[in-house]
């Protein structure tokens, strides 16, 4: 755990939540349950076709698992950085966990469908209406956006309490940077929803290409925020960098 804390603090941010809290414990249980819901089946296959079907589900499971781990890592870093347990943090965190649990099945369905399309295993009765593909993409984009907007809201709530948290100059710039970074990623989900609604129903799936904009946003954000963070780092006096009492 100390190694993880050192990794999180390498940007110069002093950690205020190094100890495990009840919010951390409850959140980890919810993330673990969400990953459990991704499992195709808990029953051992009895025939080779059943095993083959199980193995085909490995790729979408791996993608969904990776996405949940990324969200968990963002969640973990926030609570290590700030250690907040106020009503606003608890409320936003509860909304985030609710979104994750509700989002699991649409996430799994979408990537299972994409995997089946890649290998030509899509059945004729997956969609009963041409508009259902659009509905799926809107639902996926909405869940994606809600997840990252919640992460952004956690950072904005921390920024609101910057005086109470005694954030130094560098930590204040980093907090704003983290908030905008998560907000920008979430906004890509909104763009996906808009594209899915504007495209013809039979081409709504093409809205998923908008998620490649995440890399563009990360690059632009890093280019803009990087020099400002380095300047704030240089302007932060040594006395404001002293370790905080735990």
């Amino acid at each position: 755990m100390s190694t993880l804390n050192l990794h999180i603090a390498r940007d110069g941010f002093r950690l205020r939540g190094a100890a495990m809290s009840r919010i951390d414990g409850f959140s980890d249980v919810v993330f673990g349950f969400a990953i459990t819901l991704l499992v195709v089946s808990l029953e051992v296959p009895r025939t080779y076709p059943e095993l083959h079907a199980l193995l085909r589900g490995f790729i979408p499971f791996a993608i969904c698992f990776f996405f949940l781990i990324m969200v968990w890592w963002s969640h973990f870093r926030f609570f290590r950085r700030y250690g907040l347990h106020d009503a606003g943090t608890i409320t936003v965190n509860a909304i985030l966990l609710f979104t994750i649990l509700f989002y699991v099945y649409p996430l799994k369905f979408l990537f299972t469908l994409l995997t089946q399309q890649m290998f030509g295993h899509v059945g004729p009765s997956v969609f009963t209406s041409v508009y259902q593909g659009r509905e799926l993409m809107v639902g996926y984009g909405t869940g994606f956006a809600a997840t990252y907007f919640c992460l952004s809201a956690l950072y904005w709530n921390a920024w609101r309490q910057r005086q109470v948290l005694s954030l130094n100059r560098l930590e204040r710039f980093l907090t704003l940077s983290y908030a905008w970074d998560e907000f920008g990623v979430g906004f890509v989900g909104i763009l996906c929803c808009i594209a899915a609604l504007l495209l013809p129903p039979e081409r709504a799936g093409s809205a998923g290409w908008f998620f490649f904009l995440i890399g563009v946003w990360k690059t632009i954000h890093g280019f803009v925020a990087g020099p400002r963070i380095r300047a704030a780092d240089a302007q932060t006096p040594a006395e404001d960098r002293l370790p905080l009492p735990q």
Side-chain angles (χ1 to χ4, degrees):
M1 186 63 70
S2 60
T3 303
L4 279 176
N5 290 342
L6 290 174
H7 178 74
I8 296 171
R10 67 178 182 174
D11 57 3
F13 207 103
R14 298 174 296 172
L15 305 187
R16 293 161 173 80
M20 191 75 172
S21 68
R22 295 191 66 182
I23 294 180
D24 293 318
F26 176 72
S27 300
D28 286 347
V29 169
V30 173
F31 276 102
F33 182 67
I35 292 175
T36 302
L37 293 176
L38 291 176
V39 178
V40 178
S41 175
L42 297 178
E43 184 179 354
V44 177
R46 300 178 181 178
T47 64
Y48 184 80
E50 292 179 357
L51 175 63
H52 188 66
L54 181 64
L55 293 177
R56 282 209 309 264
F58 172 78
I59 295 178
F61 171 77
I63 296 173
C64 297
F65 179 84
F66 178 72
F67 173 78
L68 290 179
I69 289 298
M70 286 196 305
V71 176
W72 174 85
W73 176 241
S74 298
H75 181 274
F76 178 80
R77 285 185 302 176
F78 172 84
F79 281 95
R80 286 296 178 269
R81 284 165 174 161
Y82 302 96
L84 286 171
H85 303 93
D86 61 293
T89 300
I90 293 175
T91 300
V92 176
N93 186 63
I95 297 173
L96 173 62
L97 298 179
F98 174 84
T99 303
I100 290 296
L101 288 176
F102 186 79
Y103 191 44
V104 165
Y105 282 135
L107 183 70
K108 180 181 177 181
F109 180 87
L110 175 63
F111 284 105
T112 298
L113 179 63
L114 291 177
T115 304
Q116 290 175 345
Q117 288 178 340
M118 289 173 56
F119 294 100
H121 297 302
V122 181
S125 60
V126 173
F127 295 114
T128 59
S129 169
V130 70
Y131 292 97
Q132 291 176 348
R134 171 185 285 174
E135 183 179 340
L136 175 62
M137 292 306 301
V138 171
Y140 175 76
T142 300
F144 184 91
T147 298
Y148 282 92
F149 283 161
C150 283
L151 292 172
S152 178
L154 287 173
Y155 281 108
W156 286 113
N157 184 54
W159 167 255
R160 185 178 60 85
Q161 302 179 72
R162 57 192 179 276
Q163 297 291 349
V164 176
L165 292 170
S166 300
L167 299 181
N168 60 33
R169 183 177 180 85
L170 172 61
E171 291 168 336
R172 295 187 181 197
F173 271 87
L174 286 173
T175 299
L176 287 176
S177 175
Y178 299 145
W180 280 113
D181 185 39
E182 303 290 5
F183 181 85
V185 174
F187 189 73
V188 173
I190 298 298
L191 292 179
C192 174
C193 294
I194 295 174
L197 291 171
L198 294 179
L199 288 171
E202 62 276 6
R203 296 187 58 193
S206 299
W209 292 104
F210 274 81
F211 285 101
F212 284 98
L213 291 175
I214 294 176
V216 177
W217 163 250
K218 290 281 188 179
T219 302
I220 295 174
H221 179 262
F223 181 79
V224 174
R228 298 182 181 182
I229 292 174
R230 288 190 289 271
D233 187 19
Q235 295 169 7
T236 302
E239 58 269 22
D240 289 342
R241 300 174 183 268
L242 296 175
L244 296 166
Q246 298 296 329

